[in-house]
Structures are given as C-alpha cells and as structure tokens.
C-alpha cells in the first residue's frame, strides 16, 4: 500500500512538550513508528510519562481503545544517537529556538541521512531558509546540484501547542524547499489529524 506522504518511520528530535506532542499524534493518528531523541534522559522520561498520561486520558474519554493506546505507545522508541535515524523518511526537529543549535542539527542530519529524508523543523520564529542553508555540504554552494538537492528537502512544519489538542499546522517553505517536500509534509500533517 502506498502512503501519500511516504513516511513509514518518523524521527523526532526533542522530547519536550512539542516533540512529545508530535510523536504522540504521529503514533496515534498517522500510525507510524516514531524514533525520539533527546540529549536529556530526564526529558525523555518526563516526555514518555506525559505520553502515557495522554493515552490513558484518551482511553478514559472513549476516544481510543486500550488496545489502540498500547499499539500507539509501542510505536514509539527512544534512540540515544541521531545517527539511528538512518532509516527514517522524515525527521521533525523540535528543540529550543536557537538558530545555531538548529543549524548544527540540520548539518548533521544532512550529512548522515538519506538524501530522500525530509528534514522538518517545528520552529515558529527562525528562518527556514537559514536552516536549509546549513544543510549544504561542505565545499559546495547553494547553486551546486548537491546544495540544491540538500536544501530542497528542508521544510517548516510548525505544530501548534498543545499538539494533541490544536488542529492546525503551519507549513512553511524555505526559498529552496521543493514542491514534493511541501506536498509530502502536508500529507503527513493531514495524516496526523491536522489541517493547514
């Protein structure tokens, strides 16, 4: 079966309120396996505890069955290194609003992951174009084919807070973002139960 968004596995960077919320809607609504990474073990523990509470709340309200909650929770796994995202189809970064931090993450993702992997940021205030530029391979320029290919897969996918409740996602193209990347990101957001 073909999935319009093509995301068979998702990576999420950041297990805070936003990252955890993105992992939650991806596992519950889009029903895709999610790998989540955070440098803080305490943040991972807190985030997964919140996910368990959200799932229990949805079961108690009759929104999902206990079996569906267990299946969703089983779709979420913790990884201790972003290099473990090698087989994901999309990564959503949800770390602090710090350009240098985000650029470092996107530089690493671009070097380590498949050129077909969509690199999304949940930022609400930082230029997607600046983040995309950080993915250009060393020694290449934005006009080189490698530079164009790398930057074309970067997109802004801003989920609104709290993610499990808010129905909107802001889809933001960088100057370099390809139409295919935009369409796949849009289809994924819709699969997560979100509108634009």
């Amino acid at each position: 079966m073909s999935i319009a968004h093509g995301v068979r596995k998702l990576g999420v960077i950041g297990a805070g309120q936003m990252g955890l919320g993105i992992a939650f809607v991806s596992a519950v609504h889009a029903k895709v396996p999610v790998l989540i990474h955070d440098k803080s073990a305490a943040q991972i523990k807190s985030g997964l505890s919140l996910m368990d509470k959200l799932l229990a709340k949805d079961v108690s309200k009759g929104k999902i069955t206990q079996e569906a909650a267990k299946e969703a929770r089983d779709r979420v796994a913790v990884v201790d290194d972003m290099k473990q995202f090698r087989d994901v189809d999309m990564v959503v970064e949800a770390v602090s609003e710090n350009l240098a931090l985000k650029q470092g993450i996107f530089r690493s993702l671009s070097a380590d992951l498949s050129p077909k992997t969509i690199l999304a940021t949940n930022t609400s205030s930082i230029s997607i174009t600046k983040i995309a530029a950080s993915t250009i391979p060393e020694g290449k320029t934005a006009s080189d084919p490698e530079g164009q290919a790398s930057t074309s897969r970067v997109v802004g996918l801003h989920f609104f807070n709290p993610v499990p409740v808010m129905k909107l996602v802001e889809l933001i193209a960088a100057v370099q973002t390809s139409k295919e990347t935009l369409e796949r990101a849009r289809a994924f957001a819709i699969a997560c139960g979100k509108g634009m």
Side-chain angles (χ1 to χ4, degrees), residues 68-108:
K70 181 184 181 325
E71 289 171 358
R73 182 60 181 84
D74 289 347
R75 287 186 193 104
V76 179
V78 175
V79 295
D80 57 7
D81 188 331
M82 289 189 303
K83 290 185 183 203
Q84 291 174 285
F85 288 154
R86 282 201 176 112
D87 64 344
V88 303
D89 301 295
M90 176 188 274
V91 175
V92 181
E93 164 275 314
V95 301
S96 301
E97 293 289 271
N98 176 308
L99 178 60
L101 175 62
K102 290 178 187 290
Q103 287 174 319
I105 289 169
F106 276 77
R107 192 172 296 111
S108 293

Side-chain angles (χ1 to χ4, degrees), residues 50-175:
L50 176 60
M51 176 173 272
D52 292 338
K53 288 176 188 170
L54 291 170
L55 289 168
K57 183 177 177 182
D58 282 357
V59 169
S60 73
K61 289 184 170 189
K63 291 182 177 182
I64 59 174
T65 65
Q66 184 64 47
E67 181 181 359
K70 181 184 181 325
E71 289 171 358
R73 182 60 181 84
D74 289 347
R75 287 186 193 104
V76 179
V78 175
V79 295
D80 57 7
D81 188 331
M82 289 189 303
K83 290 185 183 203
Q84 291 174 285
F85 288 154
R86 282 201 176 112
D87 64 344
V88 303
D89 301 295
M90 176 188 274
V91 175
V92 181
E93 164 275 314
V95 301
S96 301
E97 293 289 271
N98 176 308
L99 178 60
L101 175 62
K102 290 178 187 290
Q103 287 174 319
I105 289 169
F106 276 77
R107 192 172 296 111
S108 293
L109 293 173
S110 179
D112 294 339
L113 303 185
S114 162
K116 298 201 180 287
T117 304
I118 293 174
L119 306 178
T121 178
N122 187 57
T123 189
S124 60
S125 62
I126 295 175
S127 165
I128 310 303
T129 299
K130 287 181 181 178
I131 293 171
S134 68
T135 68
I136 298 170
E138 192 171 328
K140 301 297 179 183
T141 67
S143 59
D144 289 334
E146 296 92 339
Q148 290 176 7
S150 188
T151 59
S152 72
R153 63 187 175 139
V154 178
V155 66
L157 196 59
H158 176 223
F159 288 80
F160 285 71
N161 192 19
V163 178
V165 177
M166 298 298 286
K167 297 293 182 195
L168 291 177
V169 168
E170 181 181 20
L171 185 64
I172 311 146
V175 170

Side-chain angles (χ1 to χ4, degrees), residues 10-28 32-39 43-51 54 75-78 85 90-97 102 120-123 157-164 188 192 194:
L10 178 74
V12 176
I13 302 171
Q17 187 169 353
M18 296 306 295
L20 186 281
I22 294 164
F24 178 87
V25 298
S26 300
V28 172
V32 298
V34 179
L35 301 179
I36 191 164
H37 171 74
D38 196 296
K39 286 186 176 184
Q43 188 63 62
I44 288 283
K45 183 178 177 183
S46 174
L48 293 178
S49 175
L50 176 60
M51 176 173 272
L54 291 170
R75 287 186 193 104
V76 179
V78 175
F85 288 154
M90 176 188 274
V91 175
V92 181
E93 164 275 314
V95 301
S96 301
E97 293 289 271
K102 290 178 187 290
T121 178
N122 187 57
T123 189
L157 196 59
H158 176 223
F159 288 80
F160 285 71
N161 192 19
V163 178
F188 184 73
C192 289
K194 306 298 179 184

